[in-house]
């Protein structure tokens, strides 16, 4: 019984002692024995060899075969959602067009999970699978691409697998045996601001795309999808490719991986093909409960509406998303959880300006920065002269600014509020050092959502800094400092542009630009072009010098146009319809002969499309002008100037000018000020306001704009 002996030896060699496997071995031994007897009498010994091989394959396996993951729908989206309906920064639920979806705005690291959570039995991605997702995506810019999800290996930024969306294109990304592939479906029309449910099925050499249960689009690959795509140490990133660049900006309702089969037959046909569901997170399935009504049937409104004729209703987290129609102001407002935001309102016209609040500051104030922190409130930072008392931060409370936080500063000249992703920052331009003879340093402060205040984050060496300007170019964040002078006399020094490093999470020097007594930077863009203009004030002998406009080319700012200015302190860029303007605040004309004039022209320049340069549009006589502020009320456009000194007095009228088309800007309101240094315009639910700071007194004034 040669076959019986062979089967017994194989069993003994493989160590098959488990009861179940012993039973299986017994069956196969029986087959081998009977098969061998038939071979001896009927056929060749080839059948015996086949029995031996079959017995070895089955008995020597370590356990029963199982797939790498469950063959059920795997809800990828639910794995990155907060547990127990707990709020999480960077993700919010949005209801649109009768359905809910999630919008991602936080760090991509928050919305990731290891692939090992899915592939529990082995590390290989299934060779046949389908992916189902439902999204709502606004129209995308031609050059922009965003990721629905990616599977990344280790620290690599090249996806093993991913889905990418661009204007009118959908791409399936995969890693092949020797290269990375990109399968592109064109003219799919997913970025039309409507809900769509998409099934991508992959089997062998075929990739099939089905949109809204419509006609499938099929692409044939050169090679089949690999059956050995190793996911060891890999991570799923939902709505991104690990980086901020490419973060999905639309709404995502479902994202499901179905191993082993095409999901199309499970969700199609459907009565709502755009919202066909395979596995939607529970939080998205239930729309808000509407109160019952016996009079009229309820309609699927996106939010409840309140109609009032008096004081505005409360706006807190519980009212977030609700609408309020104000019959007095004839306007429609939306609660963002903190304040009522204007959605629609009858156009107002400025009637007059009245005194609203006297704000006593630590000392004379050179600059005011008004900013809003979502879900916290409206704030204002004052740049105060006195180094012993520091500078103040105020919060808008019950219609007034109240002191909120004090920060140590050293002859502060300006504040700038900005954000980097979810991070919120406030940077101060310190003109002096803490101790005489030390290096001057300006400081970046970061908002702490736990402590609800600004804390020191990064220190940068500056030279008599006068201004900071924050801006973004192609999803990168920059900070430009206006260095005024080094020591007491050297005004011809470099100002510096810093760039945010997402790896180190700090600002680093990106470019230096030679400036002459720089006082202000103003960033603006026109179409696809980015500009930065500096206000050069003094060269050590005269204030009659050139200020320069720079354009962003080849990754750096390069000179574009020079304009002669007279002690320039501020630039203000604004746009009226398709016309682009730049206004300069000229403070004084000091010639090399020593003659000083304070009552001089400040000038508004307009961009000429013919010459592609800024040309003189209007001269306005000012008295040592230190600031321009552009604002709108209803359909009217305004400029207000900070007049500070006429050669004999600091108590002057600062003037509001209104745009009159062909006539340019004409004076409409004269406001009494004392050493006016800065103007800021801001809106609240109670109306529009102007605030000015004084460089002569520890008093700033809030003025209310009364409208009709």
């Amino acid at each position: 019984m040669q076959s019986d002996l062979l089967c017994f030896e194989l069993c003994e060699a493989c160590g098959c002692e488990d009861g179940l496997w012993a039973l299986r071995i017994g069956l196969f031994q029986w087959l081998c024995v009977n098969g061998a007897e038939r071979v001896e009498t009927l056929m060749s010994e080839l059948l015996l060899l086949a029995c031996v091989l079959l017995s070895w394959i089955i008995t020597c396996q370590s356990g029963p075969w199982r797939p790498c993951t469950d063959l059920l729908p795997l809800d990828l989206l639910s794995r990155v959602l907060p547990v127990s309906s707990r709020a999480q920064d960077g993700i919010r639920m949005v209801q649109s067009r009768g359905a809910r979806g999630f919008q991602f705005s936080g760090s991509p690291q928050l919305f990731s999970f290891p692939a090992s959570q899915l592939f529990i039995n082995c590390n290989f991605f299934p060779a046949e699978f389908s992916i189902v997702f439902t999204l709502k995506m606004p129209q995308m810019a031609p050059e922009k691409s965003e990721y629905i999800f990616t599977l990344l290996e280790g620290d690599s930024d090249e996806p093993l697998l991913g889905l990418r969306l661009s204007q009118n294109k959908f791409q399936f990304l995969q890693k092949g045996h020797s290269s990375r592939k990109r399968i592109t479906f064109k003219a799919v029309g997913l970025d039309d601001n409507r809900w769509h449910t998409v099934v991508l099925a992959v089997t062998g050499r075929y990739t099939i795309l089905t949109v809204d249960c419509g006609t499938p689009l099929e692409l044939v690959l050169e090679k089949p999808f690999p059956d050995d795509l190793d996911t060891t140490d890999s991570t799923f990133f939902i709505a991104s490719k690990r980086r901020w660049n490419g973060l999905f900006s639309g709404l995502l309702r479902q994202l499901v991986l179905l191993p082993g089969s095409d999901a199309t037959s499970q969700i199609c046909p459907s009565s709502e093909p755009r919202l066909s569901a395979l596995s939607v997170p529970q939080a998205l399935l239930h729309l808000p409960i509407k109160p019952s009504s016996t009079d009229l049937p309820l309609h699927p409104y996106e939010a409840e509406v309140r109609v009032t004729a008096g004081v505005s209703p409360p706006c807190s987290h519980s009212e977030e998303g609700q609408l309020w129609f104000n019959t007095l102001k004839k306007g429609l407002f939306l609660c963002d959880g903190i304040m009522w935001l204007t959605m629609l309102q009858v156009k107002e016209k400025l009637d007059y300006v009245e005194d609203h609040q006297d704000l006593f500051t630590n000392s004379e104030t050179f600059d005011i920065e008004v900013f809003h922190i979502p879900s916290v409130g409206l704030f204002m930072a004052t740049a105060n002269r006195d180094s012993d008392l520091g500078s103040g931060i105020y919060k808008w409370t019950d219609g007034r600014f109240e002191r909120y936080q004090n920060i140590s500063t050293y002859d502060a000249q300006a504040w700038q509020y900005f954000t980097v992703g979810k991070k919120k920052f406030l940077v101060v331009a310190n003109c002096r050092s803490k101790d005489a003879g030390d290096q001057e340093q300006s400081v970046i402060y970061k908002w702490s959502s736990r402590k609800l205040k600004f804390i020191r984050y990064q220190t940068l060496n500056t030279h008599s800094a006068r201004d900071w300007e924050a801006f973004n170019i192609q999803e990168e964040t920059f900070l430009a400092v206006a260095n005024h002078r080094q020591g007491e006399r050297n005004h011809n020094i470099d100002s510096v542009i810093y760039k945010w490093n997402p790896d180190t999470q700090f600002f680093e020097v990106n470019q230096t630009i030679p400036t002459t007594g720089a006082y202000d930077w103003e960033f603006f863009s026109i179409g696809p072009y980015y500009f930065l203009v500096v206000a050069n004030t003094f060269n050590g002998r005269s204030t009659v010098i050139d200020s320069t406009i720079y354009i962003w080319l080849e990754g750096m700012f390069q000179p574009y146009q020079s304009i002669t200015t007279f002690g320039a302190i501020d630039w203000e860029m604004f746009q009226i319809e398709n016309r682009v303007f730049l206004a300069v605040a000229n403070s004084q004309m000091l010639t090399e002969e020593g003659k000083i004039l304070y009552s001089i022209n400040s000038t508004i320049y307009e961009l000429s499309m013919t010459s592609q340069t800024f040309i003189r549009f209007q001269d306005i006589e000012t008295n040592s002008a230190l600031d321009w502020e552009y604002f709108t009320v209803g359909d009217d456009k305004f400029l207000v100037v900070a007049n500070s000194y006429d050669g004999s007095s600091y108590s002057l009228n600062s003037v509001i000018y209104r745009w009159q088309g062909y006539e340019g800007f004409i004076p409409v309101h004269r406001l009494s000020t004392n050493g006016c240094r800065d103007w800021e315009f801001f809106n609240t639910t109670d109306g529009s306001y102007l605030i000015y700071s004084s460089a002569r007194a520890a008093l700033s004034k809030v003025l209310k704009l009364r409208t009709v």
Side-chain angles (χ1 to χ4, degrees):
M1 300 294 293
Q2 184 179 8
S3 61
D4 185 46
L5 179 61
L6 284 172
C7 287
F8 175 77
E9 289 175 349
L10 282 169
C11 176
E12 187 177 48
C14 292
C16 303
E17 299 175 355
D18 181 84
L20 176 62
W21 284 97
L23 176 62
R24 292 179 180 176
I25 292 165
L27 291 173
F28 275 90
Q29 286 177 334
W30 182 86
L31 289 173
C32 288
V33 170
N34 287 275
E37 290 175 353
R38 294 172 64 187
V39 167
E40 292 171 359
T41 57
L42 300 175
M43 300 178 65
S44 70
E45 291 188 357
L46 288 176
L47 182 59
L48 176 61
L49 180 60
C51 288
V52 171
L53 290 174
L54 183 60
S55 176
W56 179 80
I57 290 171
I58 294 178
T59 58
C60 290
Q61 289 192 44
S62 61
W65 177 87
R66 292 183 295 173
C68 290
T69 185
D70 294 333
L71 298 178
L72 299 173
L74 302 173
D75 186 353
L76 307 185
L77 185 55
S78 290
R79 292 179 178 270
V80 297
L81 300 181
V83 296
S84 303
S85 301
R86 193 167 45 84
Q88 177 175 320
D89 291 338
I91 182 171
R92 65 190 186 104
M93 188 187 304
V94 177
Q95 184 176 323
S96 178
R97 294 178 179 257
R100 287 178 170 182
F102 288 110
Q103 187 172 58
F104 298 85
S105 59
S107 169
Q109 304 295 334
L110 295 174
F111 311 111
S112 64
F113 62 91
S116 58
Q117 290 186 9
L118 295 185
F119 307 116
I120 53 179
N121 299 322
C122 67
N123 296 320
F124 295 110
F125 198 91
E128 294 188 356
F129 61 92
S130 56
I131 300 172
V132 181
F133 59 92
T134 300
L135 54 73
K136 179 175 175 288
M137 186 70 187
Q139 186 173 8
M140 303 178 66
E143 70 282 356
K144 193 172 184 179
S145 295
E146 298 181 3
Y147 294 88
I148 298 169
F149 89 92
T150 52
L151 177 61
L152 301 180
E153 181 180 15
D155 296 327
S156 173
D157 285 334
E158 294 297 330
L160 296 176
L161 200 75
L163 302 182
R164 184 167 65 185
L165 192 64
S166 56
Q167 190 183 65
N168 213 27
K169 291 182 182 178
F170 172 76
Q171 295 176 326
F172 171 51
L173 313 175
Q174 70 164 88
K175 179 183 179 181
H177 289 286
S178 58
S179 62
R180 303 187 186 276
K181 299 179 181 179
R182 181 174 60 193
I183 297 95
T184 302
F185 292 88
K186 298 181 179 180
V188 291
L190 296 179
D191 59 331
D192 59 357
N193 207 31
R194 303 174 68 183
W195 287 107
H196 294 286
T197 295
V198 182
V199 180
L200 177 75
V202 177
T203 175
R205 295 177 59 193
Y206 297 95
T207 303
I208 305 165
L209 187 75
T210 305
V211 179
D212 300 332
C213 293
T215 304
L217 303 175
E218 183 178 291
L219 291 181
V220 181
L221 310 180
E222 293 182 0
K223 296 181 180 179
F225 187 86
D227 57 4
D228 58 353
L229 185 62
D230 194 349
T231 65
T232 303
D233 296 328
S234 297
T235 304
F236 280 95
F237 285 87
I238 307 303
S240 77
K241 198 183 76 167
R242 197 198 312 266
R243 308 295 183 190
W244 284 96
N245 187 21
L247 182 70
F248 185 71
S249 61
L251 301 180
L252 199 56
R253 180 171 170 83
Q254 72 174 332
L255 179 60
V256 185
L257 170 65
L258 181 62
S261 61
D262 185 348
T264 308
S265 60
Q266 299 189 33
I267 65 173
C268 296
S270 170
S271 59
E272 288 186 287
R274 294 180 181 274
L275 294 171
S276 299
L278 181 61
S279 180
V280 176
Q282 283 294 120
L284 300 177
L285 293 178
H286 306 292
L287 294 179
I289 299 175
K290 305 293 181 181
S292 60
S293 171
T294 57
D295 299 326
L296 295 172
L298 288 173
H299 299 281
Y301 297 129
E302 300 294 339
E304 296 183 25
V305 178
R306 299 183 178 202
V307 179
T308 71
V311 180
S312 64
C315 175
S316 61
H317 181 71
S318 59
E319 286 84 23
E320 185 174 1
Q322 291 189 358
L323 297 173
W324 161 47
F325 180 72
N326 187 330
T327 57
L328 290 179
K329 291 189 175 183
K330 299 179 182 178
L332 184 65
F333 302 87
L334 173 69
C335 175
D336 69 349
I338 295 294
M339 59 191 299
W340 292 101
L341 305 178
T342 303
M343 305 295 290
L344 294 171
Q345 191 170 6
V346 173
K347 299 297 184 181
E348 298 177 306
K349 295 187 73 68
L350 178 60
D351 188 16
Y352 62 94
V353 180
E354 69 175 8
D355 198 347
H356 180 75
Q357 180 187 0
D358 287 340
L359 183 66
F360 293 94
T361 54
N362 292 348
S363 58
E364 300 92 325
T365 302
F366 296 122
D367 178 69
I368 290 173
E369 178 80 350
V370 178
F371 55 95
H372 181 261
I373 298 179
S375 301
V376 183
L378 182 71
F379 292 86
M380 176 189 69
T382 60
N384 298 120
R385 179 192 59 79
D386 196 312
S387 300
D388 294 330
L389 300 177
S391 296
I393 296 176
Y394 303 80
K395 184 179 181 182
W396 187 260
T397 306
D398 297 329
R400 300 171 63 85
F401 279 114
E402 301 289 346
R403 186 177 294 275
Y404 185 84
Q405 182 182 353
N406 205 73
I407 294 180
S408 296
T409 56
Y410 305 96
D411 199 356
Q413 298 290 306
W415 286 102
Q416 173 77 73
Y417 174 80
F418 63 97
T419 60
V420 180
K422 285 177 52 183
K423 298 180 178 66
K424 303 164 186 69
F425 296 99
L426 195 60
V427 59
V428 65
N430 284 322
C431 183
R432 296 182 181 177
S433 58
K434 181 178 180 180
D435 299 310
D438 290 349
Q439 169 67 52
E440 300 154 17
Q441 293 181 325
S442 294
V443 183
I444 301 173
Y445 297 87
K446 180 178 178 290
W447 175 258
S448 169
S449 56
R450 182 174 62 87
K451 297 181 178 180
L452 294 179
K453 66 178 184 178
F454 285 96
I455 58 176
R456 181 183 288 259
Y457 184 80
Q458 183 179 0
T459 301
L460 298 170
N461 291 337
T462 52
H463 301 285
S464 191
R466 290 297 196 267
D467 181 55
W468 284 100
E469 181 79 351
F471 52 92
N472 291 289
I473 296 178
Q474 297 169 353
E475 301 184 4
E476 293 184 311
T477 303
F478 296 83
L479 266 181
V481 63
N483 285 325
H484 183 64
R485 68 172 183 266
Q486 190 169 3
E488 292 299 322
R489 296 187 178 182
N490 183 14
H491 293 80
N492 300 302
I493 60 173
D494 287 342
S495 291
V496 183
I497 299 173
Y498 299 87
K499 185 170 78 170
W500 176 260
N501 186 328
D503 295 325
T504 64
Q505 299 283 292
F506 288 107
F507 282 95
E508 300 173 353
V509 175
N510 185 71
Q511 182 182 356
T512 58
I513 296 179
T515 52
T516 307
Y519 231 99
D520 179 62
W521 284 109
E522 177 82 349
F523 174 82
F524 59 96
S525 60
I526 303 173
Y529 301 102
Y530 303 97
F531 297 88
L532 195 61
V533 56
V534 64
N536 285 326
T537 304
F538 184 57
N539 63 6
R541 301 182 306 275
S542 173
T543 62
V544 185
I545 56 177
D546 284 346
S547 292
T548 305
I549 303 170
Y550 298 87
I551 186 171
W552 180 262
L553 290 175
E554 299 177 352
M556 63 184 302
F557 283 102
Q558 302 183 26
Y560 180 77
Q561 181 184 354
S562 292
I563 297 175
T564 300
T565 53
F566 306 91
I569 297 294
D570 177 64
W571 284 101
E572 180 82 352
M573 179 270 181
F574 56 94
Q575 190 166 345
I576 299 177
E577 295 176 348
N578 61 344
R579 302 173 68 178
V580 179
F581 297 91
L582 268 178
V584 63
N586 287 323
S587 66
Q588 58 182 282
M589 182 188 295
L590 170 63
T591 65
E592 293 189 0
E593 292 77 24
K595 185 178 179 180
I596 303 178
L597 295 175
Y598 297 98
S599 296
I600 57 177
N601 287 334
S602 290
T603 304
I604 301 171
Y605 298 87
E606 182 180 5
L607 179 63
S608 168
M609 295 303 174
T610 304
S611 64
Q612 296 186 0
T613 58
F614 284 91
I615 61 176
R616 186 185 304 271
F617 171 76
Q618 183 181 359
D619 287 325
I620 297 178
E621 185 176 352
T622 55
N623 296 297
S624 190
L626 300 182
D627 183 57
W628 284 109
E629 178 80 356
Y630 175 79
F631 63 96
T632 62
V633 177
D635 287 330
D636 292 329
K637 288 84 176 171
F638 298 91
L639 273 175
V640 59
V641 66
N643 284 325
S644 66
Y645 185 60
D646 64 0
S648 60
S649 176
Y650 294 95
S651 297
L652 303 171
N653 285 332
S654 291
V655 183
I656 297 178
Y657 299 87
R658 185 179 66 221
W659 173 253
Q660 287 288 97
Y662 182 76
E663 300 174 68
F665 286 91
I666 64 170
V668 290
H669 297 281
R670 289 174 170 81
L671 311 174
S672 177
T673 56
N674 178 25
C676 187
R677 178 61 183 86
D678 185 39
W679 282 102
E680 286 293 318
F681 171 82
F682 64 96
N683 285 306
T684 72
T685 54
D686 297 325
S688 300
Y689 298 84
L690 281 171
I691 181 171
Y692 87 85
S693 67
S694 171
R696 297 289 298 172
L699 174 66
S700 295
K701 278 186 173 289
V702 181
L703 307 176
K704 187 164 187 176
L705 306 183
R706 289 296 184 181
T707 59
V708 292

